[in-house]
Amino acid sequence: VQLQASGGGLVQAGGSLTLSCVASAPTFSNYYGAWFRQAPGKEREFVAAITWSTGSTHYADSMKGRFTISRDNDKNAVSLQMNSLKPEDTAVYSCAAGSDYLRGIPRPRYWGRGTLVTVSS
């Protein structure tokens, strides 16, 4: 499975941005689509995940309320709607897919190339 992310760019603080990730093929029904991000000089962190079959969502606590993950099974796509963006949201956002978890956090098998989101103050 290949994943292609898009939608990154430059946005002012308080603005919104939607990221999209398209999978090259339908994923297994028990798979999730997920977003991670890595800010400059920091470790990669989990953002959100959604189960392809049920639409069940899982967010990192710090993302709840501002970020919304959704999926379009017909298009094999997962999107991340980001609102009220802050400069600290600046990072490379990567989409991923898989079925494994480690300590309750998705541990994806497949990764796409990231897309840069820059939030200016």
Side-chain angles (χ1 to χ4, degrees), residues 20-121:
S20 179
C21 177
V22 179
S24 60
T27 58
F28 298 110
S29 62
N30 63 329
Y31 268 37
Y32 51 74
W35 289 94
F36 288 72
R37 71 182 186 184
Q38 186 167 19
K42 296 186 177 181
E43 293 189 354
R44 184 169 61 197
E45 66 174 334
F46 168 68
V47 176
I50 186 167
T51 303
W52 286 100
S53 60
T54 66
S56 175
T57 57
H58 175 199
Y59 294 92
D61 289 342
S62 61
M63 316 299 172
K64 290 180 181 178
R66 295 193 301 125
F67 292 6
T68 302
I69 190 171
S70 61
R71 97 282 193 217
D72 185 334
N73 288 352
D74 291 338
K75 297 181 180 179
N76 301 326
V78 174
S79 296
L80 183 69
Q81 171 71 40
M82 304 184 293
N83 298 323
S84 302
L85 285 163
K86 307 173 183 179
E88 50 265 42
D89 292 318
T90 295
V92 174
Y93 286 71
S94 299
C95 63
S99 60
D100 294 331
Y101 290 81
L102 180 62
R103 300 186 189 94
I105 302 298
R107 189 181 184 187
R109 177 178 182 181
Y110 302 101
W111 290 87
R113 294 182 65 179
T115 184
L116 177 63
V117 173
T118 304
V119 184
S120 62
S121 58

